[in-house]
Amino acid sequence: DIQMTQSPASLSASLGETVTIECRASEDIYNGLAWYQQKPGKSPQLLIYNANSLHTGVPSRFSGSGSGTQYSLKINSLQSEDVASYFCQQYYDYPPWTFGGGTKLELK
Amino acid sequence: EIQLQESGPGLVKPSQSLSLTCSVTGYTITSGYDWSWIRKFPGNKMEWMGYISYSGSTNYNPSLKSRISITRDTSKNQFFLQLNSVTTEDTATYYCARYEGPIDYWGQGVMVTVSS
């Protein structure tokens, strides 16, 4: 199985700040990576797919980058509604698809 | 609008079977995509459990292969999860989802506790 190591596990940031979350794969996943946002009590929502493609309706302050084994999600100009958990998922190699451990983003 | 909704018991006894239903509206499950079950454990670890494709083929997480079955009822546009011989380690929130590489639609999730 491909292991996904996500960091940091938790993050505190101020409104308007830029935030970066990272995922490292145990082997090359050739941009087969998605990022999701999950708010408490809600289902996950797709933000980014293919490592850097913005899903329909997602604000442009979210962006994804990376290649090979290293990927990141950046949130520019943090808004209050961005307080949530974020996690990555690789879909290059399965079974099984695998997920990062998640990052809990809070306001400072 | 595509919607997925899980249903099933919230409490299951150890050694019994966990059975959940995912009802899909707004899209016919035989038209395309893979229809998955994913669970999130307390502590936030996510695990993909398996899927049934639009054609009816299945693919399971090897870690669950001996205990899991995913089936469907195309007349009701539903698909199902059965997980046998559950233990307390199967306590989790279970989601059904539509997969096209990334997962673009998720159900709201159903919390299942395994306890005597």
Side-chain angles (χ1 to χ4, degrees):
Chain A
D1 300 2
I2 294 178
Q3 307 303 315
M4 302 300 296
T5 303
Q6 187 172 339
S7 61
S10 63
L11 182 55
S12 183
S14 302
L15 292 174
E17 198 173 324
T18 294
V19 167
T20 300
I21 298 167
E22 301 199 336
C23 257
R24 185 182 78 247
S26 59
E27 58 187 86
D28 197 328
I29 56 172
Y30 299 94
N31 283 17
L33 183 101
W35 289 97
Y36 301 90
Q37 177 193 67
Q38 186 173 25
K39 297 183 179 180
K42 301 292 188 182
S43 57
Q45 300 293 309
L46 177 64
L47 297 174
I48 302 285
Y49 63 96
N50 293 347
N52 56 26
S53 297
L54 199 65
H55 186 55
T56 306
V58 175
S60 59
R61 63 179 181 273
F62 291 91
S63 64
S65 64
S67 62
T69 62
Q70 301 273 10
Y71 298 87
S72 60
L73 171 72
K74 187 163 77 170
I75 309 172
N76 287 317
S77 189
L78 187 69
Q79 306 294 303
S80 56
E81 61 264 33
D82 301 333
V83 170
S85 290
Y86 294 84
F87 57 94
C88 62
Q89 176 225 346
Q90 71 81 20
Y91 50 88
Y92 167 72
D93 183 52
Y94 75 101
W97 303 315
T98 47
F99 295 86
T103 296
K104 187 174 182 181
L105 175 59
E106 297 176 327
L107 280 179
K108 194 180 290 182
Chain B
E1 182 190 3
I2 298 169
Q3 293 188 325
L4 293 83
Q5 180 67 58
E6 306 88 350
S7 59
L11 180 64
V12 181
K13 289 183 169 26
S15 79
Q16 292 188 344
S17 293
L18 180 161
S19 295
L20 297 175
T21 297
C22 182
S23 300
V24 180
T25 56
Y27 192 88
T28 302
I29 62 173
T30 56
S31 295
Y33 300 96
D34 298 327
W35 302 89
S36 292
W37 288 97
I38 295 157
R39 60 183 178 176
K40 187 173 186 180
F41 298 100
N44 292 330
K45 179 188 170 186
M46 299 277 285
E47 180 181 63
W48 169 75
M49 302 180 72
Y51 71 69
I52 186 164
S53 74
Y54 67 95
S55 64
S57 63
T58 55
N59 201 333
Y60 300 131
N61 191 321
S63 69
L64 298 170
K65 207 159 191 176
S66 61
R67 297 199 292 136
I68 189 173
S69 177
I70 299 176
T71 57
R72 65 182 184 175
D73 183 336
T74 57
S75 68
K76 295 182 178 178
N77 214 38
Q78 294 176 327
F79 62 106
F80 311 102
L81 170 69
Q82 181 170 318
L83 186 65
N84 299 323
S85 305
V86 299
T87 71
T88 55
E89 295 191 352
D90 294 308
T91 293
T93 299
Y94 288 75
Y95 296 94
C96 60
R98 188 181 87 163
Y99 165 78
E100 58 161 356
I103 302 161
D104 60 351
Y105 288 94
W106 299 69
Q108 282 294 105
V110 59
M111 187 166 178
V112 178
T113 300
V114 179
S115 175
S116 54

